[in-house]
Amino acid sequence: MATYKKKGYKPKTKVEKEHSIEEGSTTAEVFNTLDETASKTEDFVAKNQKYIFIVIGLVALVVLGSLGYKEFISKPKQEAAMNDMFQAQKYFNDAVNGVEKDSLYNLALNGGEGKFGMLDIIEEYSGTPSANLANYYAGTAYLRLKDYKNAIEYLSDFKSDDEILAPLAKGNIGDAFVQLNQPEDALGYYEQAAEMRNNEYTTPMYLFKAGTTALDLGQADKALNYFKRIKDDYSNSTEASKVEVFIGKAQVLANK
């Protein structure tokens, strides 16, 4: 049964007295240890407070600097980039939908009417999301203008997690390599583009391009696999409507 000592209790026997002394000694040791630890901590702080304050100040400076940069530099810079990019985007969109494509793509790249082009945005607003997006526009414009090396350079600088733009950028690099007569490189980029996202637009499109390129390279088994994936998994896609013919070709070549 548990026992406790009443307030004012005094040990009566020798054993109780010795036990009481031991308890007091142990308690004293604990408090002494705590006092010593606290004292050492105080001494450390006293000796190193200059450096501690410096470290605290640096941490605060980094945090405040980061917040300040985002609020007063990065955010206004991005807003300015978006404003300056508007006309270049309009030229690009007009080129996609218009008739004077080459001149409009050039205007999208180099600017016009006193407005920035995509190349100006990339240089002037480096590090902003707009400059990153401008790499995509610039690379695609160069591809349409048949400047394939510049197309590859700018598209390679574009980084995105977007469902559509990310695979389109990779696929466009593949298109550029096809035009440069480098089908092995093209196949690699088509495969990357097909695997980056899973949707009804870019996935079957780049599976089909990967398949036809593999077929041209004599890789019939690989091509057949890509064509069958289109038939089985993307039956509603545009590519599915013509893939049966290519499945037949790949099967014939694979069995040779």
Side-chain angles (χ1 to χ4, degrees), residues 11 40 44 49 74 79 83 93 99 108 113 125 155 214 218 232:
K40 288 178 181 178
F44 176 81
Q49 62 180 347
S74 180
E79 289 176 355
N83 290 333
N93 293 334
V99 288
E113 301 178 19
Y125 297 105
L155 286 168
D232 295 340

Side-chain angles (χ1 to χ4, degrees), residues 80-94:
M82 289 173 63
N83 290 333
D84 285 340
M85 193 175 174
F86 177 78
Q87 186 60 51
Q89 284 179 303
K90 186 175 185 304
Y91 286 136
F92 184 92
N93 293 334
D94 288 346

Side-chain angles (χ1 to χ4, degrees), residues 66-134:
S66 176
L67 293 173
Y69 177 82
K70 289 179 181 177
E71 187 65 28
F72 300 110
I73 298 176
S74 180
K75 187 176 178 181
K77 188 177 182 181
Q78 170 61 9
E79 289 176 355
M82 289 173 63
N83 290 333
D84 285 340
M85 193 175 174
F86 177 78
Q87 186 60 51
Q89 284 179 303
K90 186 175 185 304
Y91 286 136
F92 184 92
N93 293 334
D94 288 346
V96 171
N97 301 310
V99 288
E100 298 179 4
K101 295 181 181 293
D102 285 2
S103 60
L104 287 169
Y105 279 127
N106 275 306
L107 285 171
L109 283 166
N110 301 301
E113 301 178 19
K115 303 294 184 180
F116 278 179
M118 296 300 176
L119 301 181
D120 299 310
I121 299 297
I122 293 168
E123 183 177 354
E124 190 72 19
Y125 297 105
S126 176
T128 65
S130 289
N132 180 49
L133 184 58

Side-chain angles (χ1 to χ4, degrees), residues 132-143:
N132 180 49
L133 184 58
N135 279 309
Y136 172 81
Y137 282 117
T140 305
Y142 277 125
L143 181 65

